[in-house]
């Protein structure tokens, strides 16, 4: 068996144990307008049914409305105040540090950093081994999002 140095970056379709941090990957801008750092993927370690990475959102940022055609998603908020607008009604689901949200495949959603002054950081796991391959944009919902978010921010300030 060949020993592989831990610090050697590798890309392989062969399954292998890897320790990968965000600094080992390149941040990309997803079709849904999210800053993504894919870490565990088919490309990096041969994963065939799962992927994981970081999602970073600037203060006040929001994604485009979208769904993942075949992938289930789990998001764990690490820092910040997130709200995910879910379904055609854009129903808000709030989640903060240490909280998980599960979104089934095919469910329309919009990720929002509710805080207008602090970044949001999250870990996202998907059943898409390529991490962002099955994103389908739903622009018919985008026009309503700013109004929904403005009202949620107003309510959030009143409740603080």
């Amino acid at each position: 068996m060949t020993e592989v140095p831990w610090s050697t970056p590798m890309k392989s379709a062969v399954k292998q144990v890897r320790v990968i941090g965000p600094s080992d990957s390149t941040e990309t801008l997803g079709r849904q307008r999210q800053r993504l750092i894919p870490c565990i993927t088919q490309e990096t370690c041969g994963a065939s049914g799962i992927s994981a990475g970081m999602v970073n959102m600037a203060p006040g940022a929001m994604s485009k409305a979208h769904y993942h055609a075949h992938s289930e998603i789990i998001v764990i908020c690490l820092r910040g105040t997130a709200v995910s607008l879910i379904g055609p009604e854009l129903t808000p689901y709030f989640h903060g540090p240490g909280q998980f949200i599960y979104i089934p495949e095919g469910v329309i959603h919009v990720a929002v950093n509710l805080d207008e002054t602090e970044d949001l950081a999250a870990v996202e796991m998907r059943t898409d081994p390529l991490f962002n391959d099955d994103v389908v944009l739903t622009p018919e919902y985008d026009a309503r999002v700013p109004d929904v978010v403005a009202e949620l921010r107003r309510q959030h300030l009143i409740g603080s």
Side-chain angles (χ1 to χ4, degrees), residues 52 73-80 82-84 86 93-104 121-126:
I73 306 167
I74 297 172
V75 181
I76 307 159
C77 186
L78 300 176
R79 182 180 68 244
V83 63
S84 292
I86 303 293
Y93 286 75
F94 297 90
H95 43 113
Q99 293 182 315
F100 294 66
I101 184 170
Y102 166 76
I103 302 172
V123 172
E124 189 165 311
M125 292 165 276
R126 303 176 182 181

Short mmCIF file of all heavy atoms in Angstrom, two decimals, residues 52 73-80 82-84 86 93-104 121-126:
data_model
loop_
_atom_site.label_atom_id
_atom_site.label_comp_id
_atom_site.label_asym_id
_atom_site.label_seq_id
_atom_site.Cartn_x
_atom_site.Cartn_y
_atom_site.Cartn_z
N ALA A 52 -19.99 17.68 0.87
CA ALA A 52 -20.07 18.67 1.95
C ALA A 52 -19.17 19.83 1.62
O ALA A 52 -18.15 19.69 0.94
CB ALA A 52 -19.67 18.04 3.29
N ILE A 73 -30.63 18.03 1.33
CA ILE A 73 -29.63 18.96 1.86
C ILE A 73 -29.78 19.06 3.37
O ILE A 73 -30.90 19.10 3.89
CB ILE A 73 -29.83 20.38 1.30
CG1 ILE A 73 -29.85 20.38 -0.22
CG2 ILE A 73 -28.75 21.33 1.80
CD1 ILE A 73 -30.36 21.69 -0.76
N ILE A 74 -28.66 19.14 4.05
CA ILE A 74 -28.63 19.50 5.46
C ILE A 74 -27.69 20.69 5.57
O ILE A 74 -26.56 20.65 5.07
CB ILE A 74 -28.12 18.35 6.35
CG1 ILE A 74 -29.07 17.16 6.26
CG2 ILE A 74 -27.95 18.81 7.80
CD1 ILE A 74 -28.55 15.91 6.95
N VAL A 75 -28.16 21.75 6.22
CA VAL A 75 -27.34 22.93 6.45
C VAL A 75 -27.21 23.11 7.96
O VAL A 75 -28.21 23.04 8.69
CB VAL A 75 -27.97 24.20 5.84
CG1 VAL A 75 -27.09 25.42 6.08
CG2 VAL A 75 -28.21 24.00 4.34
N ILE A 76 -25.98 23.33 8.41
CA ILE A 76 -25.71 23.61 9.82
C ILE A 76 -25.15 25.02 9.89
O ILE A 76 -24.08 25.30 9.33
CB ILE A 76 -24.68 22.62 10.40
CG1 ILE A 76 -25.11 21.19 10.13
CG2 ILE A 76 -24.47 22.88 11.89
CD1 ILE A 76 -23.97 20.20 10.19
N CYS A 77 -25.87 25.90 10.54
CA CYS A 77 -25.42 27.27 10.69
C CYS A 77 -24.31 27.31 11.75
O CYS A 77 -24.48 26.78 12.85
CB CYS A 77 -26.59 28.15 11.11
SG CYS A 77 -26.19 29.91 11.14
N LEU A 78 -23.18 27.89 11.39
CA LEU A 78 -22.06 28.02 12.32
C LEU A 78 -22.01 29.41 12.95
O LEU A 78 -21.70 29.57 14.13
CB LEU A 78 -20.73 27.76 11.62
CG LEU A 78 -20.55 26.40 10.97
CD1 LEU A 78 -19.23 26.34 10.23
CD2 LEU A 78 -20.65 25.30 12.02
N ARG A 79 -22.29 30.43 12.13
CA ARG A 79 -22.20 31.82 12.59
C ARG A 79 -23.23 32.64 11.84
O ARG A 79 -23.38 32.50 10.63
CB ARG A 79 -20.79 32.34 12.30
CG ARG A 79 -20.53 33.76 12.75
CD ARG A 79 -19.12 34.25 12.45
NE ARG A 79 -18.92 34.38 11.00
CZ ARG A 79 -18.04 33.67 10.30
NH1 ARG A 79 -17.29 32.77 10.87
NH2 ARG A 79 -17.92 33.86 9.00
N GLY A 80 -23.96 33.47 12.55
CA GLY A 80 -24.91 34.37 11.92
C GLY A 80 -26.35 33.96 12.16
O GLY A 80 -26.63 33.00 12.87
N ALA A 82 -29.60 32.97 10.02
CA ALA A 82 -30.09 32.57 8.71
C ALA A 82 -31.60 32.43 8.73
O ALA A 82 -32.20 32.12 9.77
CB ALA A 82 -29.46 31.24 8.30
N VAL A 83 -32.18 32.65 7.58
CA VAL A 83 -33.58 32.27 7.37
C VAL A 83 -33.62 31.62 5.99
O VAL A 83 -33.00 32.11 5.04
CB VAL A 83 -34.56 33.47 7.48
CG1 VAL A 83 -34.32 34.52 6.42
CG2 VAL A 83 -36.01 33.01 7.44
N SER A 84 -34.28 30.48 5.92
CA SER A 84 -34.51 29.83 4.64
C SER A 84 -35.97 30.01 4.30
O SER A 84 -36.85 29.69 5.12
CB SER A 84 -34.15 28.33 4.72
OG SER A 84 -32.77 28.17 4.89
N ILE A 86 -38.97 28.79 2.31
CA ILE A 86 -39.25 27.45 1.81
C ILE A 86 -40.57 27.40 1.06
O ILE A 86 -41.59 27.91 1.53
CB ILE A 86 -39.28 26.42 2.97
CG1 ILE A 86 -37.97 26.45 3.77
CG2 ILE A 86 -39.62 25.02 2.48
CD1 ILE A 86 -36.76 25.97 3.02
N TYR A 93 -38.06 29.80 7.72
CA TYR A 93 -37.55 28.89 8.74
C TYR A 93 -36.24 29.51 9.23
O TYR A 93 -35.27 29.60 8.48
CB TYR A 93 -37.27 27.50 8.15
CG TYR A 93 -38.51 26.69 7.87
CD1 TYR A 93 -39.32 26.97 6.79
CD2 TYR A 93 -38.86 25.63 8.71
CE1 TYR A 93 -40.47 26.23 6.54
CE2 TYR A 93 -40.00 24.88 8.46
CZ TYR A 93 -40.80 25.19 7.37
OH TYR A 93 -41.92 24.44 7.12
N PHE A 94 -36.25 29.95 10.48
CA PHE A 94 -35.07 30.60 11.06
C PHE A 94 -34.13 29.56 11.64
O PHE A 94 -34.57 28.58 12.24
CB PHE A 94 -35.51 31.56 12.18
CG PHE A 94 -36.37 32.68 11.68
CD1 PHE A 94 -37.75 32.54 11.63
CD2 PHE A 94 -35.80 33.87 11.25
CE1 PHE A 94 -38.56 33.57 11.15
CE2 PHE A 94 -36.60 34.90 10.77
CZ PHE A 94 -37.97 34.75 10.73
N HIS A 95 -32.83 29.78 11.48
CA HIS A 95 -31.84 28.89 12.08
C HIS A 95 -30.57 29.68 12.36
O HIS A 95 -30.17 30.53 11.58
CB HIS A 95 -31.58 27.62 11.25
CG HIS A 95 -31.45 27.83 9.78
ND1 HIS A 95 -30.27 27.63 9.11
CD2 HIS A 95 -32.34 28.21 8.83
CE1 HIS A 95 -30.44 27.87 7.82
NE2 HIS A 95 -31.69 28.24 7.63
N GLY A 96 -30.00 29.39 13.52
CA GLY A 96 -28.80 30.09 13.96
C GLY A 96 -27.71 29.11 14.32
O GLY A 96 -27.82 27.91 14.06
N PRO A 97 -26.65 29.61 14.94
CA PRO A 97 -25.49 28.77 15.26
C PRO A 97 -25.88 27.49 16.01
O PRO A 97 -26.64 27.52 16.97
CB PRO A 97 -24.64 29.69 16.13
CG PRO A 97 -24.98 31.06 15.64
CD PRO A 97 -26.46 31.00 15.33
N GLY A 98 -25.37 26.37 15.49
CA GLY A 98 -25.62 25.07 16.11
C GLY A 98 -26.91 24.42 15.67
O GLY A 98 -27.18 23.28 16.05
N GLN A 99 -27.71 25.09 14.85
CA GLN A 99 -28.97 24.52 14.41
C GLN A 99 -28.85 23.96 12.99
O GLN A 99 -28.13 24.48 12.16
CB GLN A 99 -30.09 25.55 14.48
CG GLN A 99 -30.41 25.96 15.89
CD GLN A 99 -31.55 26.96 15.96
OE1 GLN A 99 -31.59 27.91 15.20
NE2 GLN A 99 -32.48 26.70 16.87
N PHE A 100 -29.59 22.88 12.75
CA PHE A 100 -29.62 22.19 11.47
C PHE A 100 -30.94 22.50 10.77
O PHE A 100 -31.97 22.66 11.43
CB PHE A 100 -29.60 20.68 11.68
CG PHE A 100 -28.34 20.13 12.27
CD1 PHE A 100 -27.95 20.43 13.57
CD2 PHE A 100 -27.55 19.27 11.53
CE1 PHE A 100 -26.81 19.88 14.12
CE2 PHE A 100 -26.40 18.72 12.07
CZ PHE A 100 -26.02 19.02 13.37
N ILE A 101 -30.92 22.53 9.46
CA ILE A 101 -32.15 22.55 8.67
C ILE A 101 -32.01 21.48 7.59
O ILE A 101 -30.93 21.33 7.00
CB ILE A 101 -32.48 23.94 8.06
CG1 ILE A 101 -33.84 23.89 7.35
CG2 ILE A 101 -31.36 24.43 7.17
CD1 ILE A 101 -34.36 25.26 6.91
N TYR A 102 -33.06 20.73 7.38
CA TYR A 102 -33.11 19.70 6.34
C TYR A 102 -34.06 20.17 5.26
O TYR A 102 -35.17 20.63 5.54
CB TYR A 102 -33.61 18.38 6.94
CG TYR A 102 -34.00 17.36 5.88
CD1 TYR A 102 -33.03 16.67 5.17
CD2 TYR A 102 -35.33 17.12 5.59
CE1 TYR A 102 -33.38 15.74 4.20
CE2 TYR A 102 -35.69 16.20 4.61
CZ TYR A 102 -34.71 15.52 3.93
OH TYR A 102 -35.06 14.61 2.96
N ILE A 103 -33.62 20.07 4.00
CA ILE A 103 -34.47 20.43 2.86
C ILE A 103 -34.47 19.25 1.89
O ILE A 103 -33.42 18.87 1.36
CB ILE A 103 -33.94 21.70 2.16
CG1 ILE A 103 -33.87 22.87 3.16
CG2 ILE A 103 -34.84 22.06 0.97
CD1 ILE A 103 -33.19 24.12 2.63
N PRO A 104 -35.65 18.65 1.66
CA PRO A 104 -35.74 17.52 0.73
C PRO A 104 -35.47 17.96 -0.72
O PRO A 104 -35.59 19.14 -1.06
CB PRO A 104 -37.18 17.05 0.86
CG PRO A 104 -37.71 17.66 2.11
CD PRO A 104 -36.94 18.92 2.31
N ALA A 121 -21.90 31.99 8.16
CA ALA A 121 -21.12 30.82 7.72
C ALA A 121 -21.89 29.56 8.08
O ALA A 121 -22.47 29.46 9.17
CB ALA A 121 -19.75 30.81 8.40
N ALA A 122 -21.91 28.62 7.15
CA ALA A 122 -22.64 27.37 7.37
C ALA A 122 -21.88 26.22 6.70
O ALA A 122 -21.11 26.42 5.76
CB ALA A 122 -24.04 27.46 6.78
N VAL A 123 -22.14 25.02 7.20
CA VAL A 123 -21.69 23.79 6.56
C VAL A 123 -22.91 23.20 5.87
O VAL A 123 -23.99 23.15 6.45
CB VAL A 123 -21.13 22.79 7.59
CG1 VAL A 123 -20.84 21.44 6.93
CG2 VAL A 123 -19.89 23.34 8.26
N GLU A 124 -22.73 22.77 4.64
CA GLU A 124 -23.84 22.18 3.91
C GLU A 124 -23.43 20.80 3.42
O GLU A 124 -22.33 20.63 2.89
CB GLU A 124 -24.23 23.07 2.73
CG GLU A 124 -25.50 22.63 2.05
CD GLU A 124 -26.07 23.71 1.15
OE1 GLU A 124 -26.20 24.87 1.57
OE2 GLU A 124 -26.39 23.35 0.00
N MET A 125 -24.32 19.83 3.62
CA MET A 125 -24.11 18.47 3.12
C MET A 125 -25.24 18.15 2.15
O MET A 125 -26.39 18.52 2.40
CB MET A 125 -24.11 17.48 4.28
CG MET A 125 -22.89 17.66 5.17
SD MET A 125 -23.06 16.84 6.74
CE MET A 125 -23.96 18.08 7.64
N ARG A 126 -24.89 17.48 1.08
CA ARG A 126 -25.86 17.17 0.04
C ARG A 126 -25.68 15.72 -0.42
O ARG A 126 -24.59 15.19 -0.35
CB ARG A 126 -25.67 18.08 -1.17
CG ARG A 126 -25.76 19.55 -0.85
CD ARG A 126 -25.46 20.38 -2.07
NE ARG A 126 -25.50 21.81 -1.73
CZ ARG A 126 -25.29 22.77 -2.59
NH1 ARG A 126 -25.04 22.48 -3.85
NH2 ARG A 126 -25.33 24.02 -2.21
#
